[in-house]
Amino acid sequence: MRAPRRPVLAALVVAASLSITGCASSTASGSVLDAVKIEGSDPAAAPTVAISKKPLKATASVSKVLKEGDGAAVTKDDMASVNALIVNGTSGNTVDSTWDTKTPVGIDLSHEALFPALRTQLPGKKVGSRVLIVAPPKDVFGTEGNSAAGLKGTDTVVMVLDILGATKPLAEAKGEAVAPVEGQPTVEYKGPKEPSVVTMPAGAAAPTSLIVQPLIAGTGAELTQGQTVRVNYTGVLWKDGSVFDSSSTRDPGYFEFQLGGGNVISAWDNGLKGQKVGSRVMLIVPPADGYGATGSPPKIAGDDTLVFVVDILAAY
């Protein structure tokens, strides 16, 4: 259900595909940073990057705050929401930009496989800041580079990041339990690493319209259209309670999507809007609000009603 992303931004959102363990230097200024000139101060427009000494060669990741924000400092356990411009330090060409896509990305700084350049350089920077990072290949995609992004294993990478926000994602729903509703399925939550067990009410017919039933009422911000939402979920079939999908059993153990973007079934876009971060929500989904008359073979037939148990972990 996830919408496709381009190579570098995909790596920012989740993690680099390589298991990189390099160590980068702390915030610093020096010749490699002095060779990069950033112009433009409008947060709604992409900055421009000019490199005076090409090819730019960095031996360790370094960073500089171009404009300091007045928000809280980002921590190593946060998910930071950023606008990002990525430039090839050899050619000076733009590799990727969220200003082009008009969709900020979330960087999970706690993820061990994330670029070392980001894991070492972003913590401590304040929300609202614009940050310049210059990183050697080993601290981004490694010596193999990323051909899809046009980055060779010898290319230094330049990043300009606007830090829009930061939050520590929840591991599971957190809030006040909501009393069960008679005649609805019951849910046994097994933890964030196992699918929930959903038991259907004996003898009850599947509902013909979408039901949105909170199981835990979270206390976080309400979800709004356009946000990227992180969830952990289990999906089962009404007819027998069998699990057809669960983010709990896949790495990294959660799923992210843009609310209202049409990249998930309509029951998710419509049913989760307005729910709060920290909530656990049960969605009972008739075919018309799910995969329609064609279903989603081989597990979901066109007449299958679905039940999802969704923990809302974060939104940005």
Side-chain angles (χ1 to χ4, degrees), residues 184-252:
Q184 288 189 359
T186 58
V187 176
E188 181 185 359
Y189 178 71
K190 306 288 285 186
K193 298 299 183 182
E194 292 186 53
S196 296
V197 176
V198 183
T199 303
M200 306 308 154
T208 57
S209 59
L210 174 66
I211 292 176
V212 181
Q213 176 58 49
L215 303 177
I216 292 178
T219 58
E222 289 187 0
L223 304 187
T224 59
Q225 186 162 322
Q227 284 186 310
T228 294
V229 182
R230 176 179 293 192
V231 301
N232 187 1
Y233 72 91
T234 296
V236 307
L237 301 177
W238 175 281
K239 64 186 177 186
D240 59 11
S242 63
V243 175
F244 63 82
D245 193 15
S246 178
S247 60
S248 299
T249 59
R250 298 192 304 270
D251 185 60

Side-chain angles (χ1 to χ4, degrees), residues 170-175 189 215-218 232 277-281 310-313:
L170 299 172
E172 58 188 28
K174 183 178 181 181
Y189 178 71
L215 303 177
I216 292 178
N232 187 1
V277 173
S279 296
R280 176 172 298 143
V281 181
V310 183
D311 278 18
I312 304 172
L313 306 179

Side-chain angles (χ1 to χ4, degrees), residues 1 12 58 126 184 215 255:
M1 293 192 289
L12 295 184
K126 293 181 178 179
Q184 288 189 359
L215 303 177
F255 173 70

Side-chain angles (χ1 to χ4, degrees), residues 41-45 47 67-74 78-85 98-99 101-107 109 122 125-131 160-167 226-228 315-316:
S41 58
D42 182 359
K67 184 196 76 171
E68 187 166 39
D70 55 8
V74 176
D78 279 344
M79 180 170 69
S81 175
V82 304
N83 268 323
L85 174 68
T98 62
W99 279 276
T101 62
K102 302 187 186 305
T103 305
V105 296
I107 302 175
L109 292 166
L122 279 186
K125 306 296 194 295
K126 293 181 178 179
V127 171
S129 296
R130 172 165 288 181
V131 180
V160 182
L161 307 176
D162 279 5
I163 306 174
L164 307 178
T167 185
Q227 284 186 310
T228 294
Y316 59 91

Side-chain angles (χ1 to χ4, degrees), residues 282-301:
M282 178 169 62
L283 302 173
I284 306 176
V285 183
D289 297 293
Y291 294 97
T294 58
S296 183
K299 295 182 178 180
I300 301 172

